Structures are given as structure tokens and as C-alpha cells.
Amino acid sequence: MKKIAAVLVFLFSLSCVLSAGVIKKTKSEISFKGFGKFSVLSEQKIAADRSFSQTKNDFKGQGIVGGLAAKTILRSGDFGEIVDLPSRVVYQLDNKKKEYTVLPIEKLKEKETGAETAEPEEKESQPQESDIRIIRSEFKVDATGEEKLINQFNCKKYLITWLTEWENVRTRAKGRDLLSTEVWTTPSSGLIQQAQEEEAKFTNEYMKALGIELRAREKEILGQTWLNLLSQLKQGEEAPRLEVKNVVMEMKKIEGYPVLTSGQYFSSEEGGEDESKPTGGTRGLVGGLAKSVLKKKPKEGEDKEPAMTYYFELLEINLASLAEPDFQVPAGYKKKG
């Protein structure tokens, strides 16, 4: 009987384990000129079809603009998120209030891709041609040959440069955007290789569910998420665009797993008519104020300051056997709404 009981316990334990998963801890910092600094400490459990992230967010805003952003799109607090691909839902947790909301992945997809929510007859209308004409666009990756030890990982350095020069054909304004990023990677071997493979299984399926072509690693390294947020703050302006085919080719030069990423984004504009008008709604108000801040004539030395900086650091990464309870809403949490 004891042998039978032992076998049953063993089989039950196997049925609870989803897969060999990954547990990793990261630190991120993003600063917006004229808005403030947003810091995130994160711990994430990742399996092939699920993930559970716990994050501690801290936003230190500057002035009226930063104060509005802190109440709307850059909230401080202790939050969690469970992505359940088989059920196609995302659980968003507020750990302080012990509350959670359930969001279908389809709704999240609309937010990520900017899908329109207009009426059918409006959707059928032809898209308007952009006023922005790209004059020059360059994207390149260079291996610097530098090496150093970061968080017990042996790393080598790459430099990414993304330069865009453009003209607004309607207002005749001209601008220049420059994103300079340093990436330190560690060789994809042993533990890192196994963890990367397990993480990639989930990432690929999640990106597919969201309908996003650019891989998550590239979005993270290039600060795409934060550039999109910056464009929301600068209401009415588009985020810089990438030639995806060229990016993929250049990004293949980066070997290994990113341990530390540090980027600076510079944006300048001259000439043209000032058509900045705050739009309705909270985001519109933030955007209008932000645009007025960014268009102020810079003081001496300020013209060389980046509009945005971002920093990502891998603190720890380990393999682990993860089970169903690792991806469930904690006991005692109440569903909101």
C-alpha cells in the first residue's frame, strides 16, 4: 500500500507541474524630460503558456505634467499580472488593495496595437496619408569589443544607433530623432540557454496572441514601449517608426542574452507652424501640457539633454519547476467590477 501511495503522490505531482519554467528578477528605470522618473522592480515566473509578474512601481513626477501623469498612466504601487494563454485572459492585480480584474487578451491586443474602436462605417473609411516625410533613416548595430562582469554574468558590449530625419510636408517643420543604446549580453549557453529557450516559448505565443510582429526582446532593447508612451505624452505626434526588415538583420549581430540595456533618445524640431492644441480627456490634457513643455525654448545646455532615457538590468535568472498554483490569483483577493 505504501508503494502504491508513493506512486500516486508522484504521478499527482507530475500532473501539477506545467513545465520547466524560468524565474527572473529585473530592474528598469525610465526618465522623461520634463515629466519625471519611473522605476520598476520586477520578479517574473514564466512557463510555456503562462506567466506571473510581480512589480513594484515608483514614479517621481516633475511639476503639473508629472503630477497628472502619476495619476493616469504612470502609477506608483505594488502590482501583479498573470497571463494565461490557454484561457486567453490576463489577470491584473493590485497587491495593496488585494483586488484583481480580468481582461480578455483580445482587449489587451487592442491596447497594444492601437486597434480602432470606431463604428463599422468609420472603419471602412480610407486611412489618411501621413504628413511626415522621412528624409533620412539609419539603423545599425556595432560590436565594440568591450567586456566586463555584470551581476556574475560575463558580458560583451554592443552599440545600437537609430537616426531619423524627417519633414512635415504640411507645416514645413523639420526634425531629427536619435536613439543611442548600449547593450551588454552574456553568452547563451548552459543555464542561460535553457532559460532563454523556455522564455522564448511563452514570448512567441504571447506575441502571436497580441498580433505583434517585432519580437519582445527587440522591443525591450530598443525601448519601443517607452517611445510609444512618449508619443502619447506628446499628444498628436507619432512615435518614430522602424524599418522592421532592416532592424531584424542588424539585430542578428547581437549575440547572447541581454543583461544590461541603457538608451538615450534625443529629439529636435525646427521651423513650421505651431499647431499644438490640448485635446479633451485626461490623456489629452497631459499630452497638451507635455507638448508645451517639450516645445519651450531650452535653457543653455538643455538642448543636449535627452528627451528620454531608459535602463534595464537583469538581476537574477534561474530554472524552476512551476505548477498551476504558481499562476493563480492569490487567496483573499477580490474580483473588481
Side-chain angles (χ1 to χ4, degrees):
M1 287 294 293
K2 289 184 178 180
K3 287 185 178 181
I4 295 175
V7 170
L8 289 175
V9 170
F10 176 70
L11 291 175
F12 177 75
S13 65
L14 285 180
S15 68
C16 291
V17 175
L18 292 170
S19 69
V22 177
I23 298 179
K24 71 175 186 178
K25 296 180 181 180
T26 61
K27 178 174 71 173
S28 304
E29 292 181 355
I30 300 90
S31 295
F32 299 98
K33 180 182 176 182
F35 294 94
K37 181 178 180 180
F38 188 54
S39 302
V40 180
L41 279 175
S42 175
E43 180 173 350
Q44 188 176 21
K45 298 176 182 178
I46 308 166
D49 56 5
R50 291 173 175 84
S51 77
F52 191 169
S53 303
Q54 296 279 20
T55 62
K56 294 184 184 298
N57 302 344
D58 181 38
F59 179 64
K60 292 181 170 59
Q62 298 176 3
I64 298 176
V65 176
L68 286 171
K71 295 177 181 179
T72 54
I73 53 181
L74 293 173
R75 293 190 301 142
S76 296
D78 188 348
F79 304 106
E81 181 180 82
I82 302 172
V83 178
D84 189 332
L85 293 179
S87 300
R88 297 191 67 79
V89 295
V90 176
Y91 299 89
Q92 297 177 332
L93 316 179
D94 187 324
N95 294 324
K96 184 177 180 180
K97 296 181 179 179
K98 291 192 174 183
E99 295 178 341
Y100 72 95
T101 57
V102 183
L103 185 68
I105 283 182
E106 284 69 23
K107 291 291 184 181
L108 191 63
K109 180 178 179 179
E110 291 177 6
K111 291 183 179 181
E112 286 286 335
T113 59
E116 295 193 18
T117 56
E119 296 298 322
E121 54 267 27
E122 293 183 45
K123 289 184 179 181
E124 294 175 1
S125 62
Q126 295 294 324
Q128 294 183 350
E129 186 177 346
S130 174
D131 295 325
I132 303 300
R133 181 174 70 89
I134 302 300
I135 301 172
R136 178 186 177 191
S137 180
E138 295 180 1
F139 184 92
K140 63 178 182 178
V141 175
D142 295 309
T144 67
E146 296 178 57
E147 298 183 2
K148 70 176 178 179
L149 189 68
I150 304 175
N151 296 334
Q152 305 305 310
F153 298 108
N154 292 310
C155 300
K156 55 184 178 181
K157 179 181 174 183
Y158 295 87
L159 180 62
I160 304 174
T161 305
W162 172 21
L163 173 65
T164 303
E165 294 179 355
W166 54 268
E167 178 185 21
N168 187 311
V169 296
R170 183 165 52 84
T171 67
R172 298 302 177 187
K174 293 184 178 181
R176 183 176 186 271
D177 296 323
L178 173 65
L179 179 66
S180 179
T181 306
E182 294 182 0
V183 185
W184 292 86
T185 68
T186 192
S188 294
S189 60
L191 167 66
I192 292 294
Q193 183 177 4
Q194 294 178 61
Q196 190 173 16
E197 290 172 355
E198 292 299 324
E199 187 177 1
K201 292 176 185 176
F202 168 78
T203 301
N204 292 337
E205 291 303 314
Y206 191 31
M207 292 298 103
K208 189 185 298 183
L210 292 175
I212 298 175
E213 294 182 11
L214 197 63
R215 290 181 298 171
R217 190 186 76 149
E218 291 171 355
K219 288 171 65 71
E220 187 175 86
I221 289 176
L222 298 175
Q224 280 294 98
T225 300
W226 303 111
L227 283 172
N228 290 336
L229 178 55
L230 184 63
S231 71
Q232 291 179 18
L233 293 172
K234 295 166 69 176
Q235 191 74 13
E237 297 185 14
E238 292 184 288
R241 295 180 179 180
L242 286 168
E243 292 290 339
V244 176
K245 185 176 180 181
N246 181 48
V247 170
V248 171
M249 291 178 62
E250 285 293 305
M251 292 291 282
K252 286 181 179 178
K253 296 178 182 179
I254 299 179
E255 299 177 350
Y257 191 89
V259 172
L260 191 150
T261 301
S262 178
Q264 292 185 314
Y265 172 67
F266 299 85
S267 181
S268 61
E269 180 180 341
E270 60 183 20
E273 302 174 10
D274 184 5
E275 298 182 349
S276 58
K277 293 181 181 180
T279 57
T282 307
R283 177 178 292 179
L285 180 58
V286 174
L289 289 171
K291 190 169 183 178
S292 66
V293 170
L294 292 170
K295 283 190 173 293
K296 284 182 179 179
K297 186 176 180 180
K299 298 178 182 178
E300 185 177 352
E302 283 188 346
D303 54 338
K304 295 182 179 179
E305 294 181 7
M308 180 188 79
T309 64
Y310 62 96
Y311 175 92
F312 171 84
E313 181 180 356
L314 175 66
L315 302 176
E316 295 179 27
I317 187 166
N318 295 289
L319 294 173
S321 294
L322 300 175
E324 289 284 352
D326 290 303
F327 301 96
Q328 294 179 354
V329 175
Y333 279 54
K334 295 182 179 180
K335 185 176 180 180
K336 184 179 178 181

